[in-house]
Amino acid sequence: MKIKQKPGTICVQGGWKPKSGEPRVLPIYQSTTFKYDTSEQMARLFDLKDSGYFYTRLANPTNDAVASKIAELEGGVGAMLTSSGQAANFYAVFNICEGGDHFVTSETIYGGTFNLFGVSLKKLGIECTFVDPDASEEEIQKAFRPNTKCLFGETISNPGCKVLDIEKFSKIAHKNGVPLIVDNTFATPVNCRPFDWGCDIITHSTTKYMDGHASSVGGALVDSGNFDWNAHAEKFPGLCTPDNSYHGLIYSKSFGKMAYLTKATAQLMRDFGSIQSPENAFLVNIGLETLHLRMAQHCKNAQAVAEFLEKDPRVAWVHYSGLKNDRYYTLQQKYLPNGSCGVIAFGIKGLQEDSIKFMDSLKMICIVTHVADARSCVLLPASHTHRQLSDKQLLEAGIPKDLIRLSVGIEDVDDILGDIKQALDKIKK
Ligand SMILES: *Cc1c(COP(=O)(O)O)cnc(C)c1O
């Protein structure tokens, strides 16, 4: 029997298991194609009767090793890497929703996901209803319709830093016979494993903490294997009725717990082709090897910074679930007992120009369109990442106009605090 390893060990050694004489370090299989001896062997692969590599758009050994490390960290049955977090969220929903379908999503989600769901999926005929994740079960239930196919949320919302009540969400989803999909980007499996709380499918932007060094854009889709598609077969014809583009194969019959991921590969990857390059997968893997160490340091530094900001008279408000006074402290204690992440949302007293003055005065902490990597960085979502959202949408997404998103890195905390202090001193009294 396989011995269950601790997360730190999986971070370092999961996925790639070299045999005698093979490279100790995961190689980059920089090859689009794979060689077979007979035409028959190749044909069986195309019929999904054998598993094996034939074309990197569908599977690649480097990507598979990294995907299986992520699956192991999350406690899932399998995972797939995608070219970006956006692609992962698109696939997660599109794998079970088609034109005429509907889904329900928390409204406090990443701006890119908000647009994907509210604008682009709508053009494909898939509608969604945004709900306040803190609303009661009864209130959220009202958003469900007979054609609703899934419920979606973010463990820790970007950039609002709200913590999702995953158990509440999974209860609502399952009562309605649909899976819960959770974007676990900010928490990472080191700090929270949504499958342990009833979530069915997890997505990641591996661009963030998993890569951790801001070197490669990527995403991942992970399946718990727990959702019983056949029990709700009428809702999920794509999984439970014959696929004419694959010789009438029925995914839920042929692949059991791997049905969802097999369909995502065989159909979505085949047709939309948003693969992660093996080289990017290699970089994500190097990041994963230190994820457990980095997350602990991000949380430690962010806790110190949040406590400092909370006490500073020039700061109007701070959202960080590690603060005892934070609205999400209780949920953090339940779902993220080892810490949440390095991202803090806060506002500065005064006008928006004071926030801008503060940000422009930072020396080591940089203004960049990024979050969740080793280097501390800062952004004003209302005028940067979320610029396309109207004032009303900003409010719904839980983003006050003065919200500064500070991504606390793993530099020495004294230098991070020093930079923040000198920048706050530059604001006019
Ligand atoms: C960044 C981000 C995404 C999108 O990921 P990309 O890799 O930039 O496409 C999705 N969800 C969350 C929570 C994110 O922070």
Side-chain angles (χ1 to χ4, degrees):
M1 208 186 82
K2 201 171 160 227
I3 300 162
K4 247 194 144 155
Q5 291 175 323
K6 303 267 190 196
T9 308
I10 302 167
C11 280
V12 182
Q13 297 226 7
W16 176 244
K17 306 276 184 235
K19 297 186 193 75
S20 184
E22 284 186 346
R24 178 74 163 109
V25 175
L26 170 67
I28 306 175
Y29 283 84
Q30 194 67 39
S31 180
T32 58
T33 190
F34 301 83
K35 176 232 161 204
Y36 288 92
D37 291 337
T38 68
S39 153
E40 163 69 13
Q41 283 175 339
M42 184 75 92
R44 289 185 65 80
L45 293 177
F46 270 99
D47 281 348
L48 303 182
K49 283 181 180 142
D50 284 346
S51 60
Y53 300 103
F54 49 108
Y55 192 58
T56 283
R57 169 149 44 77
L58 294 163
N60 172 284
T62 307
N63 289 24
D64 275 6
V66 181
S68 81
K69 178 184 280 191
I70 293 171
E72 202 179 339
L73 283 170
E74 288 287 14
V77 292
M80 159 204 260
L81 298 189
T82 57
S83 55
S84 66
Q86 285 299 105
N89 281 329
F90 172 57
Y91 280 22
V93 172
F94 198 65
N95 205 30
I96 44 175
C97 288
E98 55 187 50
D101 285 343
H102 169 263
F103 67 102
V104 180
T105 175
S106 158
E107 63 193 5
T108 50
I109 51 175
Y110 173 65
T113 315
F114 196 89
N115 276 317
L116 167 68
F117 289 176
V119 180
S120 292
L121 284 183
K122 202 169 170 188
K123 289 183 191 160
L124 296 174
I126 299 166
E127 255 194 272
C128 72
T129 304
F130 291 98
V131 294
D132 175 358
D134 297 322
S136 67
E137 271 177 58
E138 295 71 37
E139 202 54 44
I140 296 171
Q141 179 60 43
K142 287 183 196 155
F144 281 77
R145 305 175 188 171
N147 62 340
T148 301
K149 300 296 166 77
C150 63
L151 177 61
F152 184 96
E154 279 177 15
T155 312
I156 305 167
S157 69
N158 175 6
C161 297
K162 297 187 177 191
V163 177
L164 184 72
D165 189 342
I166 305 173
E167 260 189 334
K168 177 179 83 179
F169 259 50
S170 72
K171 207 170 131 200
I172 299 168
H174 297 158
K175 210 171 93 192
N176 290 280
V178 301
L180 170 64
I181 305 174
V182 169
D183 181 332
N184 197 32
T185 297
F186 270 16
T188 83
V190 167
N191 281 344
C192 178
R193 300 209 322 168
F195 291 157
D196 295 344
W197 303 100
C199 160
D200 302 287
I201 291 149
I202 289 172
T203 61
H204 280 284
S205 166
T206 60
T207 319
K208 312 296 165 54
Y209 288 118
M210 283 193 171
D211 172 291
H213 302 77
S215 62
S216 63
V217 173
L221 182 57
V222 194
D223 189 4
S224 66
N226 291 336
F227 193 81
D228 188 352
W229 306 105
N230 283 315
H232 310 280
E234 76 294 345
K235 276 191 201 290
F236 305 105
L239 284 156
C240 304
T241 60
D243 175 2
N244 291 330
S245 74
Y246 249 112
H247 323 298
L249 182 134
I250 300 173
Y251 293 101
S252 61
K253 285 230 170 76
S254 299
F255 298 102
K257 282 183 178 298
M258 286 301 284
Y260 177 88
L261 281 175
T262 308
K263 178 176 180 286
T265 306
Q267 277 183 356
L268 303 188
M269 249 343 156
R270 180 195 63 188
D271 297 350
F272 295 101
S274 327
I275 56 155
Q276 189 165 125
S277 75
E279 195 171 334
N280 276 2
F282 175 85
L283 292 170
V284 170
N285 188 50
I286 299 241
L288 287 169
E289 288 179 6
T290 56
L291 183 67
H292 55 306
L293 303 177
R294 288 185 289 106
M295 286 315 286
Q297 195 62 39
H298 279 293
C299 292
K300 204 170 148 209
N301 284 357
Q303 184 70 31
V305 171
E307 283 172 13
F308 164 79
L309 291 172
E310 192 182 35
K311 288 197 201 90
D312 193 282
R314 292 160 294 189
V315 172
W317 56 270
V318 185
H319 290 335
Y320 187 69
S321 59
L323 294 174
K324 290 216 167 61
N325 295 327
D326 193 83
R327 183 175 172 193
Y328 297 95
Y329 183 73
T330 319
L331 285 177
Q332 147 146 8
Q333 292 304 299
K334 175 173 175 180
Y335 295 110
L336 304 140
N338 299 326
S340 57
C341 65
V343 184
I344 298 172
F346 74 101
I348 285 175
K349 283 180 193 159
L351 303 168
Q352 197 179 54
E353 63 192 55
D354 295 313
S355 306
I356 289 168
K357 178 77 186 162
F358 164 77
M359 288 171 53
D360 289 352
S361 304
L362 290 164
K363 293 193 169 113
M364 179 189 77
I365 302 169
C366 293
I367 302 170
V368 296
T369 303
H370 205 258
V371 63
D373 74 80
R375 299 163 200 84
S376 293
C377 61
V378 73
L379 193 90
L380 199 65
S383 56
H384 300 143
T385 43
H386 292 63
R387 215 182 164 83
Q388 286 93 347
L389 300 196
S390 66
D391 286 1
K392 184 169 167 276
Q393 285 175 320
L394 278 174
L395 215 66
E396 278 170 5
I399 303 163
K401 276 186 120 158
D402 64 338
L403 184 151
I404 295 173
R405 184 181 74 187
L406 172 63
S407 176
V408 179
I410 54 173
E411 303 93 344
D412 192 293
V413 73
D414 291 343
D415 291 325
I416 300 172
L417 285 169
D419 199 20
I420 293 171
K421 283 177 199 162
Q422 68 79 24
L424 281 171
D425 289 342
K426 299 274 160 56
I427 301 173
K428 278 201 298 289
K429 302 278 159 12

